Amino acid sequence: VGATLFGLPSKGWAQEAQDHSAAQLAKHVIETSPEGEVRAALEAFDNYSYHHELGMHLGTEKGLLIEAAVQQGLPANGPAFVLETGCHAGDGTLRAIAAMSGRQGSKLVSTEANPGWLKAAERIVGHAAKNSGVTFLPRKLAEDADFGEFLDTLIKDNHFSRLDTVILDQDQSRFLDQLKAILKRGLLKPGATLYVDNVKTKAGRLRKYLDFVSAGAGNGFETKVVEIAEPYPDAVAISTFVGSHTEPRVREEV
């Protein structure tokens, strides 16, 4: 039997505490914001995370940039299709839905490796995004899962045949391989956008990804990096797939 801390097994204690905090956060959002009000849910989410020092909130700057990226990637008309990896407790998810709201038939697939966080996101989004016109499809996805296989399943199940925006926020060391898997399946059309967080705080892990999506790399992307001041100094990268006369150079098999 392992050692205990405050009556809880020391092994996994921190994770249990985080899962409990996420559950309490979801409870607060549901109890203090009206059903179907995304903006009210975001305000309740941010306030609770900030005042309880949970570190679960992205902050207004990053949130608005997610909205801008999704808005930019929307097709001229009809439904939108968005993939988000690493949704945590769902505030970034709500930002995406705010930008997609009213596009009937739209779908948002959000993944998370932590089942406690995914459950919290499912509860929060289910409460806040009711009648938004967006179908929310939460999926548990381990960080080391076969991402290509995951995409193939989503395509087979008719959840999407294209992606208008991809939000990557899980394991930064896997972003490039994940993007290559998306490109290999032809899921990005000209005008589609990519949003990537932690460009400063995880710069080493993101170097190869950022090199690949730079305009000079010739892989069909234009990328801008935006500095962020809160909730801590950081930067995000928003890339636009512009396509090219030739296929993007995907050199490695996925």
Coordinates of all heavy atoms in Angstrom, one line a residue, residues 46-82:
D46 N -14.3 31.4 -16.5 CA -13.0 32.2 -16.2 C -13.0 32.7 -14.8 O -11.9 32.6 -14.1 CB -13.0 33.4 -17.2 CG -12.6 33.0 -18.6 OD1 -12.3 31.8 -18.8 OD2 -12.5 33.9 -19.4
N47 N -14.1 33.2 -14.3 CA -14.1 33.7 -12.9 C -13.8 32.6 -11.9 O -13.0 32.8 -10.9 CB -15.5 34.4 -12.6 CG -15.6 35.7 -13.3 OD1 -14.6 36.4 -13.6 ND2 -16.9 36.1 -13.4
Y48 N -14.4 31.5 -12.0 CA -14.2 30.4 -11.1 C -12.8 29.9 -11.2 O -12.1 29.7 -10.1 CB -15.2 29.2 -11.4 CG -15.1 28.1 -10.3 CD1 -16.0 28.2 -9.2 CD2 -14.3 27.0 -10.4 CE1 -16.0 27.2 -8.2 CE2 -14.3 26.1 -9.4 CZ -15.1 26.2 -8.4 OH -15.1 25.2 -7.4
S49 N -12.2 29.7 -12.4 CA -10.9 29.2 -12.5 C -9.9 30.2 -11.9 O -8.9 29.8 -11.2 CB -10.6 28.9 -14.0 OG -9.2 28.5 -14.1
Y50 N -10.1 31.5 -12.2 CA -9.2 32.5 -11.7 C -9.2 32.6 -10.2 O -8.2 32.6 -9.6 CB -9.6 33.8 -12.4 CG -8.7 35.0 -11.8 CD1 -7.5 35.2 -12.3 CD2 -9.3 35.9 -10.9 CE1 -6.7 36.3 -11.8 CE2 -8.5 36.9 -10.4 CZ -7.2 37.1 -10.9 OH -6.5 38.2 -10.4
H51 N -10.4 32.7 -9.6 CA -10.5 32.9 -8.2 C -10.1 31.7 -7.4 O -9.7 31.8 -6.2 CB -11.9 33.4 -7.8 CG -12.2 34.8 -8.3 ND1 -11.5 35.9 -7.8 CD2 -13.0 35.3 -9.2 CE1 -11.9 37.0 -8.4 NE2 -12.9 36.7 -9.2
H52 N -10.2 30.5 -8.0 CA -9.8 29.3 -7.3 C -8.4 28.8 -7.7 O -8.0 27.8 -7.3 CB -10.8 28.2 -7.5 CG -12.1 28.4 -6.8 ND1 -13.1 29.3 -7.3 CD2 -12.6 27.9 -5.6 CE1 -14.1 29.3 -6.4 NE2 -13.9 28.5 -5.4
E53 N -7.7 29.7 -8.5 CA -6.4 29.4 -8.9 C -6.2 28.0 -9.5 O -5.3 27.3 -9.3 CB -5.4 29.6 -7.8 CG -5.4 31.0 -7.2 CD -4.4 31.2 -6.1 OE1 -3.9 30.2 -5.5 OE2 -4.1 32.4 -5.8
L54 N -7.2 27.6 -10.4 CA -7.1 26.3 -11.0 C -6.2 26.3 -12.3 O -5.7 25.2 -12.6 CB -8.5 25.9 -11.5 CG -9.6 25.8 -10.4 CD1 -10.9 25.3 -11.0 CD2 -9.2 24.9 -9.3
G55 N -6.0 27.4 -12.9 CA -5.2 27.5 -14.1 C -5.9 26.7 -15.3 O -5.2 26.3 -16.2
M56 N -7.2 26.6 -15.2 CA -7.9 25.9 -16.3 C -8.4 26.8 -17.4 O -8.8 26.3 -18.5 CB -9.1 25.2 -15.7 CG -8.8 24.1 -14.7 SD -8.1 22.6 -15.5 CE -9.4 21.9 -16.4
H57 N -8.3 28.1 -17.2 CA -8.8 29.0 -18.2 C -7.7 29.5 -19.1 O -6.6 29.8 -18.7 CB -9.5 30.2 -17.5 CG -8.6 31.0 -16.6 ND1 -8.1 30.5 -15.5 CD2 -8.1 32.3 -16.7 CE1 -7.3 31.4 -14.9 NE2 -7.3 32.5 -15.6
L58 N -8.1 29.7 -20.4 CA -7.1 30.2 -21.4 C -6.9 31.7 -21.3 O -5.9 32.2 -21.6 CB -7.7 29.9 -22.8 CG -7.7 28.4 -23.2 CD1 -8.5 28.3 -24.5 CD2 -6.3 27.9 -23.4
G59 N -7.9 32.4 -20.8 CA -7.9 33.9 -20.7 C -8.6 34.5 -22.0 O -8.7 33.8 -23.0
T60 N -8.9 35.8 -21.8 CA -9.7 36.4 -22.9 C -8.9 36.6 -24.1 O -9.4 36.4 -25.2 CB -10.1 37.8 -22.4 OG1 -10.9 37.7 -21.2 CG2 -10.9 38.6 -23.4
E61 N -7.6 36.9 -24.0 CA -6.8 37.1 -25.3 C -6.7 35.9 -26.1 O -7.0 35.9 -27.3 CB -5.4 37.6 -24.9 CG -5.2 39.0 -24.4 CD -3.8 39.4 -24.2 OE1 -3.3 39.1 -23.1 OE2 -3.1 39.9 -25.1
K62 N -6.4 34.8 -25.5 CA -6.3 33.5 -26.3 C -7.7 33.1 -26.8 O -7.8 32.6 -27.9 CB -5.7 32.4 -25.5 CG -4.2 32.6 -25.2 CD -3.5 31.4 -24.5 CE -2.1 31.6 -24.3 NZ -1.4 30.5 -23.6
G63 N -8.7 33.3 -25.9 CA -10.0 32.9 -26.3 C -10.5 33.7 -27.5 O -11.1 33.1 -28.4
L64 N -10.3 35.0 -27.6 CA -10.7 35.7 -28.7 C -10.0 35.4 -30.0 O -10.5 35.4 -31.1 CB -10.6 37.2 -28.4 CG -11.6 37.8 -27.4 CD1 -11.2 39.3 -27.1 CD2 -13.0 37.7 -27.8
L65 N -8.7 35.0 -29.8 CA -7.9 34.5 -31.0 C -8.4 33.2 -31.5 O -8.4 33.0 -32.7 CB -6.4 34.5 -30.6 CG -5.8 35.8 -30.5 CD1 -4.4 35.7 -29.9 CD2 -5.7 36.5 -31.9
I66 N -8.9 32.3 -30.6 CA -9.5 31.1 -31.1 C -10.8 31.4 -31.9 O -11.0 30.9 -33.0 CB -9.9 30.2 -29.9 CG1 -8.6 29.6 -29.3 CG2 -10.8 29.0 -30.4 CD1 -8.9 28.8 -28.0
E67 N -11.6 32.3 -31.4 CA -12.8 32.7 -32.1 C -12.4 33.3 -33.5 O -13.0 33.0 -34.5 CB -13.5 33.8 -31.3 CG -14.2 33.2 -30.1 CD -15.1 34.2 -29.4 OE1 -15.9 34.9 -30.1 OE2 -15.1 34.4 -28.2
A68 N -11.4 34.1 -33.5 CA -10.9 34.8 -34.8 C -10.5 33.7 -35.8 O -10.8 33.8 -37.0 CB -9.8 35.8 -34.5
A69 N -9.7 32.7 -35.3 CA -9.2 31.7 -36.2 C -10.4 30.8 -36.8 O -10.4 30.5 -38.0 CB -8.3 30.7 -35.4
V70 N -11.3 30.5 -35.9 CA -12.5 29.7 -36.4 C -13.3 30.6 -37.3 O -13.8 30.1 -38.4 CB -13.3 29.2 -35.2 CG1 -14.6 28.5 -35.7 CG2 -12.5 28.3 -34.3
Q71 N -13.6 31.8 -37.0 CA -14.4 32.7 -37.8 C -13.7 32.8 -39.2 O -14.4 32.8 -40.2 CB -14.5 34.1 -37.2 CG -15.3 35.1 -37.9 CD -16.8 34.7 -37.9 OE1 -17.3 34.3 -36.8 NE2 -17.5 34.9 -39.0
Q72 N -12.4 33.0 -39.2 CA -11.7 33.1 -40.5 C -11.8 31.9 -41.4 O -11.9 31.9 -42.6 CB -10.2 33.4 -40.2 CG -9.4 33.6 -41.5 CD -7.9 33.7 -41.2 OE1 -7.5 34.2 -40.1 NE2 -7.0 33.2 -42.1
G73 N -11.8 30.7 -40.7 CA -11.9 29.4 -41.5 C -13.3 29.0 -41.9 O -13.4 28.1 -42.7
L74 N -14.3 29.7 -41.5 CA -15.7 29.4 -41.9 C -15.9 29.4 -43.4 O -15.4 30.3 -44.1 CB -16.7 30.3 -41.2 CG -16.9 30.3 -39.7 CD1 -17.8 31.4 -39.3 CD2 -17.4 28.9 -39.3
P75 N -16.6 28.4 -43.9 CA -16.9 28.5 -45.3 C -17.9 29.6 -45.6 O -18.5 30.2 -44.7 CB -17.6 27.1 -45.6 CG -18.2 26.7 -44.3 CD -17.2 27.2 -43.2
A76 N -18.1 30.0 -46.9 CA -18.9 31.1 -47.2 C -20.3 30.9 -46.7 O -21.0 31.9 -46.3 CB -18.9 31.3 -48.7
N77 N -20.8 29.7 -46.7 CA -22.1 29.4 -46.2 C -22.2 27.9 -45.8 O -21.2 27.1 -46.1 CB -23.2 29.7 -47.3 CG -22.9 29.1 -48.6 OD1 -22.8 27.8 -48.8 ND2 -22.7 29.9 -49.6
G78 N -23.2 27.5 -45.2 CA -23.4 26.1 -44.8 C -22.6 25.8 -43.5 O -22.1 26.7 -42.8
P79 N -22.6 24.5 -43.1 CA -22.0 24.1 -41.8 C -20.5 24.2 -41.8 O -19.9 24.2 -42.9 CB -22.5 22.6 -41.7 CG -22.7 22.2 -43.1 CD -23.2 23.4 -43.8
A80 N -20.0 24.3 -40.6 CA -18.5 24.3 -40.4 C -18.1 23.1 -39.7 O -18.9 22.5 -38.9 CB -18.1 25.6 -39.6
F81 N -16.8 22.7 -39.9 CA -16.3 21.5 -39.2 C -15.0 21.8 -38.6 O -14.1 22.3 -39.3 CB -16.2 20.3 -40.3 CG -17.5 20.0 -40.9 CD1 -17.8 20.6 -42.2 CD2 -18.3 19.1 -40.3 CE1 -19.0 20.3 -42.8 CE2 -19.6 18.8 -40.9 CZ -19.9 19.4 -42.2
V82 N -14.9 21.6 -37.3 CA -13.7 22.0 -36.5 C -13.3 20.8 -35.7 O -14.1 20.0 -35.1 CB -14.1 23.1 -35.6 CG1 -12.9 23.4 -34.6 CG2 -14.4 24.4 -36.4

